[in-house]
Amino acid sequence: MEVVVRFAPSPTGPLHIGGVRTALYNYLLYKKHGGRFILRIEDTDQNRFVPGAEEFVLESLAWMGIDFSEGPGKEGESGPYRQSERHKAGLYTPFAEQLVRGGHAYLAFDTPEELDAMREKMTAEGHKSGAPYSFATRHQMKNSLSLTPEEVQARIDAGEPYVIRMLMPRKEEIRFYDEVHQWVMFHSSQLDDKVLVKSDGMPTYHLANVVDDHLMGVTHVIRGEEWLSSTPLHVMLYRAFGWERSIPAFVHLPLILNPNGEGKMSKRMGDKLGFSVFPISWTDPETGNHSFGFREAGYLPEAMMNFLALLGWNPGHDEEIMDAARMAEAFSLEKVNNSGTKFDIDKLKWFNQTYIRAAKPAHLLPVVKPLVAAAGFAVPEDAFLEEAIHLMQERVTLLPDFVQDCRFFFEAPTAYDAKMSSKFGPKEREVMEGLATKWENLTTWDLDSLHATFEAIKLEMEVGNGKVLAPLRLALTGVPAGPGAFEIAALIGKNESVARIRAALKNIPLGTA
């Protein structure tokens, strides 16, 4: 059987990182088995449409390296891929009419005011369920079940707006198997008659997604746990259409929880703890409010992918660092957890740090270079920047650290660590004067030459390593920690290194060491 999966976000706002994980699990199953991976934009709710949201999805998936085989911009046999376009092509109407003809759905003419009155009445009578439109209320309302055929036709001819609702049976157990939750059962008496087609003729999510999944040949519906309660309706729709044999495997993923384990990971909690819930930055087109993303915070997409894959899936071994190919090889739906998983930002930082350390400097160059420019520094030549990245890799957690923690690669220090400066005493100054003179006279500038002068100055002035290395680091960088002082000097060059030592001798007050 060809595996066909789909990721079907709604363009009603920025894609949450939980949605990215859903896309990733679809992608891993597709990469493992081949077949097709479809990106479908479920934009039937035009009232909630947010400009830029679809573009945000596409850019987020591209950054993550989650590549679909069909979708907007990648036309294939299943297109078009926006439900609004499929609606305009008249794709859903025949299926809605089929349901009405078959007695599985009906027309409802109730106005919003009449629906509100019904809810108020039912609530006043003690119904706690919000008074759903169901077997308990449908015959009290204005619909094709309570009206005569002549009355229905008269309303249609008069242009009276109506919706199409699913006719949910009163006493029926609806059972289906979920790859995560196993056998799930709902009783139809708990379910209301959901709207399938709105008064403007646009299908709702429920009808459109079932029709599209069937027409696209989707074999596995992998989505968030919040859709579990809608699945009985979807199963009933498959049955009503006579598509029982092509019902896809359902996979409802557990929630990603806030770090404290309380509730679905939210933007509010992320803001409180200082991390994002979006893959990339987002600016709300209505309010102008800006939210940073994991990309802008300095995370590598491969680290993000690795972390998210393990946030709800157990590969069955102790291996944690895995590239996309290795994750796809190990991936199986049977090993997806059935309970929520806390979002551990410290663990994500560990993944990011691990991937930064393992990366080739040339791989990091394209993402570090813009950060240097954004900080206001002149961007050095690629060879220089690659070597700076190499020297800093072991010390960096997030990509901006390459700039924030090593400004000394791009500018001479203008301030010096106070504690180290207090130790910049007479002997240290004498050593630095001697070292600067020796370096000025060097004709070869490389690590071997720098180490040779280091040994020579120690012998000449009868001092240990600390009397040379500590003041030298302070002079070159202004800070107490970082890569090796000689490696820094070798990279920034002879003239710059000597100039920084001379500046330190001039600007750092005499210490007491």
Side-chain angles (χ1 to χ4, degrees):
M1 180 184 69
E2 180 188 41
V3 169
V4 181
V5 295
R6 57 38 163 204
F7 178 55
S10 298
T12 54
L15 180 66
H16 188 277
I17 200 66
V20 176
R21 186 192 62 171
T22 298
L24 175 59
Y25 282 16
N26 277 282
Y27 173 75
L28 292 177
L29 191 69
Y30 153 70
K31 294 299 288 185
K32 180 170 185 173
H33 296 287
R36 292 183 290 140
F37 176 23
I38 300 168
L39 175 64
R40 189 174 72 221
I41 305 300
E42 300 201 333
D43 57 350
T44 58
D45 192 347
Q46 292 292 297
N47 291 328
R48 297 177 60 213
F49 175 79
V50 174
E54 179 182 327
E55 292 76 10
F56 185 88
V57 169
L58 293 171
E59 187 177 350
S60 296
L61 296 183
W63 174 66
M64 285 287 297
I66 299 175
D67 191 23
F68 51 91
S69 59
E70 292 182 46
K74 288 189 176 182
E75 300 300 318
E77 62 186 73
S78 302
Y81 300 98
R82 297 178 185 89
Q83 288 183 334
S84 57
E85 295 175 358
R86 297 169 74 81
H87 167 65
K88 289 178 182 178
L91 189 151
Y92 304 110
T93 301
F95 293 100
E97 292 174 346
Q98 178 184 338
L99 290 173
V100 174
R101 286 196 308 270
H104 300 291
Y106 60 95
L107 281 55
F109 298 90
D110 313 284
T111 66
E113 293 76 16
E114 289 168 336
L115 291 171
D116 288 341
M118 179 267 286
R119 293 188 183 99
E120 291 175 6
K121 177 176 179 292
M122 297 295 285
T123 301
E125 293 175 357
H127 295 270
K128 298 180 180 179
S129 60
Y133 204 122
S134 66
F135 70 90
T137 57
R138 63 173 73 114
H139 287 286
Q140 305 168 27
M141 308 302 291
K142 293 190 307 187
N143 54 61
S144 57
L145 300 177
S146 62
L147 301 171
T148 66
E150 293 76 17
E151 289 174 319
V152 170
Q153 190 60 51
R155 290 175 181 273
I156 294 174
D157 293 341
E160 191 170 326
Y162 64 86
V163 300
I164 296 178
R165 289 182 177 272
M166 183 71 178
L167 180 59
M168 193 60 66
R170 180 172 183 176
K171 295 181 179 180
E172 186 169 334
E173 286 188 353
I174 306 170
R175 291 167 55 85
F176 59 90
Y177 189 80
D178 183 88
E179 299 293 333
V180 174
H181 301 276
Q182 300 185 350
W183 284 106
V184 181
M185 191 275 288
F186 285 81
H187 198 278
S188 62
S189 62
Q190 302 170 313
L191 308 173
D192 59 345
D193 296 351
K194 292 290 187 196
V195 173
L196 301 178
V197 178
K198 291 176 280 190
S199 59
D200 61 0
M202 181 72 79
T204 62
Y205 163 81
H206 303 292
L207 177 64
N209 108 89
V210 167
V211 170
D212 286 344
D213 284 348
H214 176 74
L215 295 181
M216 293 178 172
V218 171
T219 59
H220 295 76
V221 171
I222 304 174
R223 58 192 178 190
E225 189 175 76
E226 62 269 23
W227 293 109
L228 187 63
S229 61
S230 297
T231 306
L233 170 58
H234 302 166
V235 170
M236 294 300 289
L237 283 168
Y238 275 99
R239 293 178 185 174
F241 285 125
W243 298 338
E244 293 96 332
R245 301 185 69 176
S246 63
I247 294 179
F250 292 111
V251 187
H252 289 92
L253 305 178
L255 295 176
I256 297 178
L257 305 175
N258 284 314
N260 61 6
E262 297 177 1
K264 179 181 177 181
M265 191 175 81
S266 63
K267 183 180 183 302
R268 181 186 60 81
M269 182 61 74
D271 290 344
K272 180 179 179 181
L273 298 178
F275 64 85
S276 179
V277 297
F278 304 135
I280 61 177
S281 65
W282 166 260
T283 300
D284 190 301
E286 292 188 2
T287 65
N289 291 336
H290 182 76
S291 301
F292 70 99
F294 285 103
R295 179 180 65 182
E296 291 70 27
Y299 291 91
L300 291 172
E302 47 268 50
M304 198 81 216
M305 178 183 285
N306 198 160
F307 169 75
L308 282 179
L310 297 176
L311 203 63
W313 166 64
N314 184 346
H317 52 67
D318 294 333
E319 190 177 350
E320 285 192 291
I321 301 301
M322 296 178 281
D323 62 16
R326 178 72 182 105
M327 285 187 283
E329 178 187 7
F331 188 75
S332 68
L333 297 173
E334 293 78 10
K335 294 176 182 176
V336 174
N337 300 339
N338 61 8
S339 58
T341 306
K342 296 179 186 178
F343 191 92
D344 187 343
I345 191 65
D346 292 329
K347 187 70 172 182
L348 174 57
K349 288 180 179 179
W350 176 84
F351 271 103
N352 206 57
Q353 185 180 55
T354 301
Y355 272 90
I356 286 176
R357 288 179 176 179
K360 294 183 182 301
H363 175 72
L364 297 173
L365 181 67
V367 289
V368 173
K369 187 184 291 189
L371 298 176
V372 176
F377 299 120
V379 180
E381 294 183 355
D382 287 358
F384 180 101
L385 192 51
E386 281 192 33
E387 181 59 22
I389 290 171
H390 169 69
L391 292 176
M392 286 297 296
Q393 276 179 275
E394 292 293 319
R395 302 170 180 275
V396 164
T397 299
L398 301 173
L399 292 174
D401 297 344
F402 277 113
V403 179
Q404 295 169 4
D405 293 351
C406 58
R407 303 174 67 90
F408 47 80
F409 282 125
F410 314 112
E411 66 176 5
T414 56
Y416 301 90
D417 179 77
K419 185 175 181 180
M420 287 189 70
S421 297
S422 68
K423 299 177 182 179
F424 203 76
K427 191 63 176 179
E428 284 78 9
R429 300 179 71 86
E430 183 183 0
V431 169
M432 287 298 101
E433 287 278 9
L435 187 63
T437 300
K438 288 184 181 297
W439 279 7
E440 283 177 321
N441 294 325
L442 283 177
T443 56
T444 301
W445 189 262
D446 56 27
L447 282 175
D448 289 340
S449 300
L450 297 180
H451 279 289
T453 56
F454 167 64
E455 295 298 335
I457 204 77
K458 285 198 303 178
L459 287 173
E460 183 179 318
M461 297 195 174
E462 299 180 339
V463 293
N465 291 349
K467 288 291 184 182
V468 184
L469 293 178
L472 176 59
R473 178 184 299 284
L474 183 65
L476 295 179
T477 70
V479 293
F486 296 128
E487 283 76 6
I488 295 171
L491 180 58
I492 64 177
K494 173 181 173 179
N495 292 340
E496 180 66 17
S497 297
V498 172
R500 290 188 184 189
I501 294 174
R502 298 288 188 205
L505 290 168
K506 178 181 178 182
N507 295 322
I508 299 176
L510 181 66
T512 58

